[in-house]
Amino acid sequence: MEELTQKISERLKLFTNLKDALTQLDEGAVSAFVEDAIDQARSDGFTDSNIVRGASFLAAHFCNLASNTNSNISKQQASVLSIEYFDRGGSDDYLIEYNRLKKSLTQNTIRFL
């Protein structure tokens, strides 16, 4: 499990949009999110040959949520009113990619775009 956690933690650093989020979280929090992502990915059907890919996106989603640095904030501004709101129902690109990978498991293959 420790080797798997290390591989996923290293992959998280490859996501350039996640760098700010990772600096806001301590190492213990990131490790906990990685372990949670591994458990969830295993439950969802990822195997040893592809779990690093799936769990990396899920862990990135968890870190993104925990750091509260999400790009899904939209802002509308009029001369007297400004409204900020979160769209996409709490989802982000990392979760979308994880779900896409999970769906491809039913086709017995992992497909990247």
Side-chain angles (χ1 to χ4, degrees):
M1 177 79 151
E2 186 153 330
E3 181 182 341
L4 194 55
T5 302
Q6 182 64 31
K7 285 181 180 180
I8 293 169
S9 295
E10 288 172 9
R11 276 189 173 226
L12 290 177
K13 295 173 186 172
L14 298 176
F15 297 122
T16 56
N17 293 341
L18 197 61
K19 285 186 181 185
D20 288 339
L22 291 174
T23 59
Q24 293 180 18
L25 301 170
D26 65 34
E27 228 174 277
V30 174
S31 293
F33 292 140
V34 168
E35 290 172 11
D36 290 346
I38 292 168
D39 291 341
Q40 184 63 52
R42 278 198 176 119
S43 295
D44 287 340
F46 286 86
T47 63
D48 288 339
S49 64
N50 56 30
I51 197 166
V52 171
R53 286 179 256 169
S56 295
F57 283 105
L58 193 55
H61 169 68
F62 293 157
C63 291
N64 199 31
L65 286 177
S67 68
N68 201 22
T69 58
N70 204 309
S71 61
N72 292 328
I73 303 296
S74 297
K75 185 174 184 175
Q76 292 181 342
Q77 185 164 349
S79 59
V80 294
L81 177 67
S82 175
I83 300 172
E84 290 188 31
Y85 58 93
F86 187 84
D87 60 5
R88 289 172 59 177
S91 182
D92 57 25
D93 292 337
Y94 304 115
L95 185 59
I96 289 169
E97 182 61 13
Y98 175 78
N99 285 328
R100 193 188 66 72
L101 291 172
K102 185 172 96 171
K103 185 177 179 183
S104 72
L105 289 175
T106 60
Q107 300 161 350
N108 296 323
T109 182
I110 295 287
R111 297 182 185 184
F112 285 92
L113 297 176

